Amino acid sequence: MLTGTNLQYANSYNNRIILETIRLYGPLSRVGIAGRTQLTAQTVTNITKKLMKAGLVVEHSRERSGPGAPSVMLKINEKAGYSVGIDLDKDHLTCILVNFNGKIRQTKNVDLHFPSPDEAIELMVSSVFQIIKEEGVDPDLIWGVGLGLPGPLSISEQDDATRIVNPEAFPGWEDVPIVRELETRLQMPVLLENNASAAAIGEHWYGAGKLIDSFFYIYFGAGLGGGIVVDGQLYSGFSSNAGELGYFPTATFMEPGLNYAFDHLGGFFDMPRLQKKLRAQGYQVHSLNDLGKLYEKDNEVLSDWMEAGSKSLVPLILGIEYLLDPEAIFFGGRLPDAMLHALLEKLQTQLPSHRITRKIGRPRFNIASAGLEAAAMGVASLPLYSSFAPQHKLLMRDHRYTGLGM
Amino acid sequence: MLTGTNLQYANSYNNRIILETIRLYGPLSRVGIAGRTQLTAQTVTNITKKLMKAGLVVEHSRERSGPGAPSVMLKINEKAGYSVGIDLDKDHLTCILVNFNGKIRQTKNVDLHFPSPDEAIELMVSSVFQIIKEEGVDPDLIWGVGLGLPGPLSISEQDDATRIVNPEAFPGWEDVPIVRELETRLQMPVLLENNASAAAIGEHWYGAGKLIDSFFYIYFGAGLGGGIVVDGQLYSGFSSNAGELGYFPTATFMEPGLNYAFDHLGGFFDMPRLQKKLRAQGYQVHSLNDLGKLYEKDNEVLSDWMEAGSKSLVPLILGIEYLLDPEAIFFGGRLPDAMLHALLEKLQTQLPSHRITRKIGRPRFNIASAGLEAAAMGVASLPLYSSFAPQHKLLMRDHRYTGLGM
DNA sequence: TGAATAAATCAATTTGATTGATTTATAGGT
DNA sequence: ACCTATAAATCAATCAAATTGATTTATTCA
């Protein structure tokens, strides 16, 4: 829909631009902000006055450099608000509390094994209350809770409750009104997102992706997921399945002669299945930690798995390069750091022989910054993100009210 | 870069939104525009007054429906301006003149065989002057010339002349300052774009893509190209290579046992090569027309080629579905209509067995509307597009001045 | 013929960014 | 110590664009 804009929307947008500029590049003086945003100093003064009044921004220091009045440096008020991120998958629950600047203040981690909805909800609720209590934060300052679940998700908004319609990873979870349930129990707004997309958003907000505007994020969870950030915004495609790598076929694309015995990437990158396989061979692997230790002992099953894994990723990477041509590809999620690095290295040696040599630009390959908490960080950013990130859509007139005039 | 906005930018944006709304859905009354754009009737009155004064919009008719004053319907002034589109490839030159509403007024078509820069430039210049003369249009009303070349293009802006640095399809064209040359000879602004992206833009502006906001366009030219429209804007990736299907590898992705003898899609979908092969087997095929006729005779070489072609496209289509999840995939370009339809049909029968059944949303497959002139239409839209399309970027402060306050 | 209705516009107001002048605080030269 | 140059930040006035409310115009229908 083509919708126009007006003064209020333009102002909202500028508010967000200034807040985001301070977050990314601060502490900054008002004149510094003006320079970066191409707004006038007066406009910056007006808007920062409002932001300071709302408690989102505070003075940091005075810096004198050469003649002229010293700059008053402004920064984000870390204590202006908090957000909770919950990363739930078939094998674990990670729950974190982050402040307005995206710093993790509390973490809670539980290993799970295909939890039922009741178990999971109970555990999530108690974990959230626990970390809030431990940090001693006023619950009114919690802006919301982000919930990350493994994709693909199909969300229906039937009878006013957001339900998960197609939770592949969670048999038994069909049609659970998870968002409403959590909102009632927690008395906080809950936002649902697929964990790979969430990790991408998190990387964009808090990681190296801060300075990269368009990237692809390959997320290793219990399964495999992907998130796409284009122009600083999450791109989720027409049916919200963009980057759903789990079903990316491997069989069709296999190198002749190889046989991975799985028809799609998600079947291969299946952590519970891998761990089960390792246990069947006598290795005591029950957690990520165990996996990391095993890897450091140069376990052969594991290194075979990684060899095959890197090969199975080649078509995906090439597809990303040729179709999307992003600035970077991030690799992150719940894989021991050493394994992530090794996988990336193997992949790098596989690729050249498959690439057309004449191709020009190529995305950088980066290890994501957030590590095990990537998805939780990502969903934790959702309540903040939905209130404060500059979004083109805000300039148009069909967006929802977000409070604070932003 | 995070840049703010102001009243002027917001106004420019609204100007464009209104013009675009009239173009897409017109003739429309002022109140009708207001309803669609969510702007107030007064704002629409103000802006349409300016647009009418500039000659871009004119009154169409008065429509009375029920009590109350009749609506004054507004429409695009087709004669407000014209644009030229040139589609140059190794095997042909198509040159068209379109009016402000995107209707083709004149066409000129020449079959070529790997033209030299001098030949091509000479031919382009004479063609442009010829079609303008034939239509009897005041040259001052020509807003510009769009030039489409087969990708991948690497464009360098060295010494103020846009040169083609990596014109794979045109040996001998390295470092020709094509844009400057044409601008000097024609005395009109020239805009360069890869022909597949151009076709996608054209489909978005004038075809069925008008109402589809995000789609992938597979363009059959002398080679194979792709264009991506996201959120109504051309998406070209970080290094301008998004959708460059020509180099999409086939070898790596082949079904075991099959061998197409080409390592990338562009090698397979190579029209000059196909025609040469057919001629080597005794068929007199020298043009698209000949190809179409041969196809209608159920030629076996050709139907084998199409069978293999549809198979080689499967990984690409799946890649598009899983990575991009667009609303639709358009198939278009310089392939006889019957062949395009047949190829699509073959493809549709190939796909189901390769898709994961549980996958939810799926893009629609559409034959593009523009046919043989797709790329020329697309590039012809560039001079209009760059002046009048609503672009989010316009709300920010780092765009170039485009005249008319829009 | 007149009441109801809807489109379009006029006039006045409001909002938010901009411009130009002013205040404040510093460095550096004499 | 004092003056000048300089830069940040703000004040006051202005400007641009959308909005609100009233008014004009043109139609239908009883």
Side-chain angles (χ1 to χ4, degrees):
Chain A
M1 176 100 149
L2 295 167
T3 48
T5 189
N6 67 6
L7 305 188
Q8 279 90 314
Y9 294 100
N11 179 243
S12 298
Y13 185 75
N14 285 345
N15 291 348
R16 289 182 180 222
I17 285 292
I18 287 180
L19 192 62
E20 177 75 350
T21 300
I22 297 173
R23 189 183 72 78
L24 283 175
Y25 308 104
L28 270 177
S29 69
R30 290 172 175 82
V31 171
I33 297 169
R36 280 190 170 278
T37 56
Q38 313 232 51
L39 294 165
T40 59
Q42 184 57 52
T43 301
V44 174
T45 295
N46 296 339
I47 291 177
T48 51
K49 189 180 282 178
K50 278 198 292 181
L51 293 175
M52 291 175 75
K53 201 174 164 192
L56 302 175
V57 165
V58 288
E59 285 193 5
H60 173 67
S61 64
R62 286 163 176 261
E63 307 248 318
R64 30 197 199 188
S65 60
S71 312
V72 179
M73 307 304 272
L74 302 177
K75 65 173 178 183
I76 295 292
N77 177 14
E78 295 195 326
K79 296 181 175 176
Y82 296 81
S83 176
V84 173
I86 304 175
D87 166 28
L88 178 68
D89 210 331
K90 24 191 171 186
D91 60 355
H92 75 278
L93 170 81
T94 301
C95 192
I96 62 173
L97 179 75
V98 303
N99 67 18
F100 189 36
N101 213 12
K103 290 210 187 75
I104 298 182
R105 303 292 308 173
Q106 295 288 335
T107 313
K108 188 167 160 50
N109 226 306
V110 187
D111 283 327
L112 298 173
H113 189 69
F114 295 90
S116 72
D118 284 348
E119 281 170 351
I121 289 174
E122 202 55 54
L123 191 56
M124 288 191 278
V125 170
S126 64
S127 301
V128 171
F129 284 132
Q130 189 190 331
I131 57 175
I132 292 175
K133 197 175 162 195
E134 265 164 23
E135 183 67 11
V137 171
D138 177 357
D140 284 350
L141 283 177
I142 309 279
W143 288 352
V145 176
L147 171 61
L149 295 177
L153 296 173
S154 167
I155 297 165
S156 90
E157 306 252 347
Q158 226 177 4
D159 58 90
D160 233 31
T162 312
R163 294 158 190 276
I164 317 167
V165 164
N166 190 27
E168 288 292 335
F170 286 100
W173 278 67
E174 292 79 15
D175 280 331
V176 175
I178 178 82
V179 171
R180 188 173 62 187
E181 194 73 19
L182 275 178
E183 281 184 335
T184 319
R185 300 277 303 270
L186 293 170
Q187 286 297 302
M188 294 168 192
V190 173
L191 296 164
L192 179 64
E193 183 57 83
N194 119 31
N195 54 13
S197 298
I201 295 172
E203 187 68 31
H204 171 63
W205 266 70
Y206 304 119
K210 278 214 281 196
L211 304 174
I212 298 181
D213 229 35
S214 298
F215 60 85
F216 198 102
Y217 192 114
I218 297 179
Y219 177 78
F220 298 90
L224 189 70
I228 305 176
V229 171
V230 170
D231 244 343
Q233 318 275 328
L234 183 70
Y235 171 76
S236 36
F238 180 64
S239 65
S240 303
N241 281 309
E244 264 308 339
L245 311 182
Y247 289 158
F248 201 84
T250 50
T252 320
F253 302 101
M254 276 190 322
E255 285 180 62
L258 269 176
N259 191 335
Y260 303 135
F262 299 110
D263 59 347
H264 56 284
L265 278 178
F268 187 86
F269 288 93
D270 180 329
M271 282 297 139
R273 186 185 285 176
L274 174 64
Q275 295 195 13
K276 198 172 158 197
K277 184 177 169 189
L278 288 165
R279 284 197 298 272
Q281 304 204 11
Y283 302 104
Q284 284 308 307
V285 177
H286 295 278
S287 69
L288 266 190
N289 215 339
D290 297 344
L291 196 69
K293 279 180 193 154
L294 192 62
Y295 174 74
E296 266 155 35
K297 285 182 203 145
D298 294 323
N299 177 275
E300 205 169 300
V301 183
L302 208 43
S303 71
D304 281 358
W305 180 81
M306 291 188 59
E307 186 69 25
S310 73
K311 281 185 182 164
S312 77
L313 285 176
V314 168
L316 170 67
I317 302 294
L318 291 175
I320 294 171
E321 288 188 6
Y322 287 100
L323 292 180
L324 282 165
D325 183 27
E327 184 170 355
I329 302 179
F330 284 90
F331 295 81
R334 300 179 52 79
L335 212 55
D337 228 46
M339 285 181 70
L340 208 51
H341 276 91
L343 191 66
L344 201 51
E345 226 163 84
K346 279 178 198 289
L347 191 57
Q348 299 265 29
T349 63
Q350 297 284 345
L351 283 170
S353 61
H354 296 288
R355 282 198 187 110
I356 302 295
T357 46
R358 283 161 300 182
K359 184 170 181 331
I360 319 156
R362 225 167 263 168
R364 291 197 301 253
F365 286 14
N366 295 332
I367 298 283
S369 357
L372 302 188
E373 289 97 359
M377 287 281 286
V379 285
S381 75
L382 289 178
L384 313 175
Y385 183 79
S386 67
S387 299
F388 296 107
Q391 290 179 280
H392 302 324
K393 280 175 190 154
L394 278 182
L395 287 158
M396 279 68 101
R397 316 194 80 170
D398 49 0
H399 74 277
R400 304 198 189 154
Y401 178 69
T402 50
L404 274 172
M406 304 184 64
Chain B
M1 176 101 147
L2 295 167
T3 47
T5 189
N6 68 5
L7 305 188
Q8 277 90 315
Y9 293 100
N11 180 242
S12 298
Y13 186 75
N14 284 347
N15 292 348
R16 290 181 178 222
I17 285 291
I18 287 181
L19 192 62
E20 178 75 348
T21 300
I22 297 173
R23 189 184 72 76
L24 283 175
Y25 308 104
L28 270 178
S29 69
R30 290 174 175 81
V31 171
I33 297 169
R36 280 190 172 279
T37 56
Q38 312 233 53
L39 294 165
T40 59
Q42 184 58 52
T43 300
V44 174
T45 295
N46 297 339
I47 290 177
T48 52
K49 191 180 281 177
K50 278 197 293 181
L51 293 175
M52 291 175 75
K53 202 174 164 192
L56 302 174
V57 165
V58 288
E59 285 194 5
H60 174 66
S61 63
R62 287 165 174 260
E63 306 248 317
R64 29 199 200 191
S65 61
S71 312
V72 179
M73 307 304 272
L74 303 177
K75 65 173 178 184
I76 295 292
N77 177 14
E78 293 195 327
K79 296 179 175 177
Y82 296 82
S83 176
V84 173
I86 303 175
D87 165 28
L88 178 69
D89 211 331
K90 23 190 170 186
D91 60 355
H92 74 279
L93 170 80
T94 300
C95 192
I96 62 174
L97 180 74
V98 303
N99 67 18
F100 189 37
N101 213 13
K103 289 208 187 78
I104 298 183
R105 304 291 308 173
Q106 295 288 335
T107 313
K108 187 166 161 54
N109 226 306
V110 186
D111 282 327
L112 298 174
H113 189 69
F114 295 90
S116 74
D118 284 348
E119 282 170 352
I121 289 173
E122 201 55 54
L123 191 57
M124 288 191 278
V125 170
S126 64
S127 302
V128 171
F129 284 133
Q130 191 191 332
I131 57 174
I132 293 175
K133 197 175 161 193
E134 265 165 22
E135 183 66 11
V137 171
D138 178 356
D140 284 349
L141 284 177
I142 310 279
W143 288 354
V145 175
L147 171 61
L149 295 177
L153 296 172
S154 168
I155 297 164
S156 90
E157 308 251 347
Q158 225 178 1
D159 56 271
D160 232 33
T162 312
R163 294 158 191 278
I164 318 166
V165 164
N166 189 27
E168 287 291 334
F170 286 100
W173 278 68
E174 291 81 14
D175 280 331
V176 176
I178 178 82
V179 171
R180 189 173 62 185
E181 193 73 19
L182 275 178
E183 281 185 336
T184 317
R185 301 278 302 268
L186 293 170
Q187 288 298 302
M188 295 169 192
V190 173
L191 297 165
L192 179 65
E193 184 57 83
N194 120 28
N195 53 15
S197 298
I201 296 173
E203 187 68 32
H204 171 63
W205 266 70
Y206 304 119
K210 278 214 283 196
L211 305 174
I212 298 181
D213 230 35
S214 298
F215 60 84
F216 197 101
Y217 192 113
I218 296 179
Y219 176 79
F220 298 91
L224 189 70
I228 306 176
V229 171
V230 169
D231 244 342
Q233 320 274 328
L234 183 70
Y235 171 76
S236 36
F238 181 64
S239 64
S240 304
N241 282 309
E244 264 308 339
L245 310 183
Y247 289 158
F248 201 83
T250 52
T252 320
F253 302 102
M254 276 190 324
E255 284 181 61
L258 272 174
N259 190 334
Y260 304 135
F262 299 110
D263 60 348
H264 56 284
L265 277 178
F268 187 87
F269 288 94
D270 180 328
M271 282 297 139
R273 185 185 285 177
L274 174 65
Q275 295 194 12
K276 198 173 158 194
K277 185 176 168 188
L278 287 164
R279 285 197 299 272
Q281 304 204 9
Y283 303 103
Q284 283 309 306
V285 178
H286 296 278
S287 68
L288 267 190
N289 215 339
D290 297 343
L291 196 70
K293 279 181 192 154
L294 192 64
Y295 174 74
E296 267 156 34
K297 285 183 201 144
D298 293 324
N299 177 276
E300 205 168 300
V301 183
L302 207 43
S303 71
D304 280 358
W305 180 81
M306 291 189 59
E307 186 69 25
S310 73
K311 280 186 183 163
S312 77
L313 284 175
V314 168
L316 170 67
I317 302 294
L318 290 176
I320 294 171
E321 289 187 5
Y322 287 100
L323 291 180
L324 282 166
D325 183 27
E327 183 170 355
I329 302 179
F330 283 91
F331 296 80
R334 301 179 51 79
L335 213 55
D337 227 47
M339 285 181 69
L340 207 52
H341 276 90
L343 192 66
L344 201 52
E345 225 163 85
K346 279 178 198 290
L347 190 58
Q348 298 266 31
T349 64
Q350 297 283 346
L351 282 169
S353 61
H354 296 286
R355 283 198 187 108
I356 302 295
T357 47
R358 282 160 302 181
K359 184 171 182 332
I360 320 156
R362 224 168 265 168
R364 291 197 301 252
F365 285 12
N366 295 333
I367 297 285
S369 358
L372 302 189
E373 288 96 358
M377 287 281 286
V379 284
S381 77
L382 289 177
L384 313 175
Y385 183 80
S386 68
S387 299
F388 295 109
Q391 290 179 279
H392 301 324
K393 279 175 190 154
L394 279 182
L395 287 159
M396 279 67 100
R397 313 193 83 171
D398 49 0
H399 74 278
R400 303 201 189 148
Y401 178 70
T402 51
L404 274 172
M406 303 183 61

